[in-house]
Amino acid sequence: MITTLAAALNAGLRTALEDDPKVVLMGEDIGRLGGVFRVTDTLQKDFGDRRVIDTPLAESGIVGTAFGMALRGYRPVCEIQFDGFVYPAFDQIVSQVAKIHYRTRGKVSAPLTIRIPFGGGIGSVEHHSESPEAYFAHTAGLRVVSPSNPADAYTMIRQAIALDDPVIFFEPKRRYWDKAELDPAATDSLPLERARVCVPGSDATLVAYGGTVATAVTAAKIATEEGLSLEVIDLRSLAPLDIDTIAESVDRTGRLIVVHEAPVTGGIGAEIAARITERCFYRLEAPVRRVGGFDIPYPPAKLEKHHLPDPDRILAAVDSTLAA
C-alpha cells in the first residue's frame, strides 16, 4: 500500500502497542490531539490514556519519568514535540539513560525510545528546525537512528522499541507527508544498525540520512542526465555507523560526498570522513567532501532554502571531487 512516513510511524507504534502490553507512549499533546504532526493520531482512543499519556510541558520530566518506567520493566516511547525542545532533557539522556547499562556492569537496561522530529524545511519558527543528532551520536550508550521513508519508519520504530538499549529516533519532519510503498507483512528488513544502498552507482558515493536522502536521490537522477553514475547510501543508523557498507562503496567509486542538514563543523559527516579516510586512503581519488548546513543558528523561514543542502550544492561537490 502507498502511505506517508507519518502514517507508517503510526502503524508501527500501533503494532508495538498491540504486541507488548509494557509499551507506553508519552509526550505533549500526543493523546487527544494525536501529536502536532498527528503521528499518534487515534492511538489514545484505541489503547486508553494509561498507555498513550498526555504529559505536562516538561521534557526533563517526560524523559525522567520514562527512564524510571524503563527500569521497572516497561518500554516507554517518548515524543519530544520538536527537536529544539529536547535540550531540557539532555542531562537526563546523557547522564542517566545512556550510562545505566555500563554503570551497573550490564545488570540494568533502559529499553527507552525517544522520538524527535528534526530538521528544517517546514517554514517554522526558532527552536523548531534543529539538527541535534551529533550531540547524541557522540554519547556512548545511545543508539541513534533516522528513517527516510515509510517502509523504514514502520520497521525501525518497532525494532527500536523492542531493543533493550535506549534509542534516539530522529524523524525528518519535512518528509512526514512523503508517500511511498509500505508492506507491513514484509520480512526482509535490515537490522537497525545497517545502512542501505538505495541507488547503485560507480562514479562517486553520496551518503545521506533522514531528510537529505530524498535530496541525494534527486541529485543522483540529475547526474544521470549528465552522464554520471552516483551511488546513494541511506545511512539509517548514526550510532553505530555502518562503515562497512560505505567503505565497500568507496572502494569501487573512489569518491565520497556526505550530506546532512546539520552544520558541517563537528557533524556526522566529519566522523564518516575521518573513518573512510583511515580505511580507504589508498582507494580514494579525492578528499571526502561534506555538504551541510552553514555554521549559523538555524535561519528564519524565508532563508532556510539557502541553508538546507539542495541538489545544486550536492552536484557542485560532485563536480569538485571529480575534478580533483
Side-chain angles (χ1 to χ4, degrees):
M1 64 179 180
I2 303 297
T3 190
T4 65
L5 192 149
L9 286 167
N10 181 283
L13 292 168
R14 177 178 294 277
T15 301
L17 287 161
E18 291 170 343
D19 290 347
D20 187 346
K22 292 293 187 180
V23 173
V24 178
L25 311 188
M26 306 171 60
E28 300 162 5
D29 299 319
I30 70 166
R32 184 177 299 180
L33 180 65
V36 293
F37 296 105
R38 303 301 187 268
V39 171
T40 55
D41 195 33
T42 74
L43 295 181
Q44 188 182 76
K45 178 175 69 70
D46 294 338
F47 294 94
D49 59 9
R50 293 195 173 188
R51 296 195 64 198
V52 182
I53 304 168
D54 280 316
T55 67
L57 304 181
E59 286 74 19
S60 180
I62 295 169
V63 174
T65 301
F67 180 48
M69 294 177 70
L71 299 183
R72 298 292 293 177
Y74 288 88
R75 292 185 177 274
V77 182
C78 300
E79 178 182 296
I80 303 298
Q81 197 170 75
F82 281 92
D83 34 38
F85 300 173
V86 73
Y87 303 120
F90 192 78
D91 182 52
Q92 290 279 4
I93 296 170
V94 303
S95 298
Q96 304 297 330
V97 173
K99 293 178 172 56
I100 190 65
H101 192 70
Y102 183 82
R103 181 181 293 147
T104 61
R105 299 185 180 184
K107 295 178 181 178
V108 177
S109 297
L112 168 60
T113 302
I114 302 174
R115 297 179 41 243
I116 306 175
F118 85 121
I122 65 168
S124 198
V125 296
E126 190 177 15
H127 304 310
H128 290 66
S129 301
E130 307 288 317
S131 294
E133 59 269 23
Y135 296 128
F136 299 104
H138 179 73
T139 303
L142 298 175
R143 288 181 183 245
V144 183
V145 301
S146 182
S148 67
N149 59 76
D152 274 348
Y154 175 77
T155 301
M156 290 170 67
I157 191 63
R158 295 174 61 201
Q159 290 173 323
I161 294 169
L163 281 175
D164 287 336
D165 297 327
V167 180
I168 308 297
F169 196 92
F170 281 107
E171 302 166 7
K173 65 173 79 77
R174 66 176 164 139
R175 304 301 179 193
Y176 271 143
W177 303 279
D178 287 4
K179 293 183 177 180
E181 183 70 30
L182 169 64
D183 179 6
T187 58
D188 60 346
S189 58
L190 288 174
L192 191 61
E193 67 275 8
R194 288 282 303 279
R196 172 184 284 112
V197 177
C198 50
V199 177
S202 58
D203 292 327
T205 301
L206 301 180
V207 171
Y209 58 87
T212 57
V213 173
T215 311
V217 169
T218 298
K221 290 178 179 178
I222 295 171
T224 299
E225 299 170 1
E226 300 174 355
L228 295 176
S229 174
L230 303 181
E231 182 149 293
V232 179
I233 296 177
D234 181 352
L235 198 57
R236 300 174 76 249
S237 175
L238 314 186
L241 286 167
D242 181 5
I243 294 297
D244 288 346
T245 295
I246 303 172
E248 190 278 331
S249 177
V250 173
D251 280 342
R252 288 185 290 101
T253 67
R255 292 172 168 84
L256 174 63
I257 299 96
V258 187
V259 184
H260 54 64
E261 290 187 27
V264 167
T265 300
I268 299 296
E271 181 65 25
I272 294 173
R275 293 203 196 185
I276 290 299
T277 299
E278 292 170 351
R279 182 157 167 176
C280 304
F281 184 79
Y282 293 105
R283 303 288 293 186
L284 282 168
E285 300 291 339
V288 177
R289 307 288 183 181
R290 292 171 290 161
V291 180
F294 300 108
D295 291 335
I296 58 172
Y298 198 86
K302 68 169 79 173
L303 298 176
E304 67 178 358
K305 68 179 181 180
H306 303 292
H307 179 74
L308 295 172
D310 60 15
D312 286 342
R313 287 176 59 195
I314 294 172
L315 291 172
V318 171
D319 290 342
S320 176
T321 190
L322 289 172

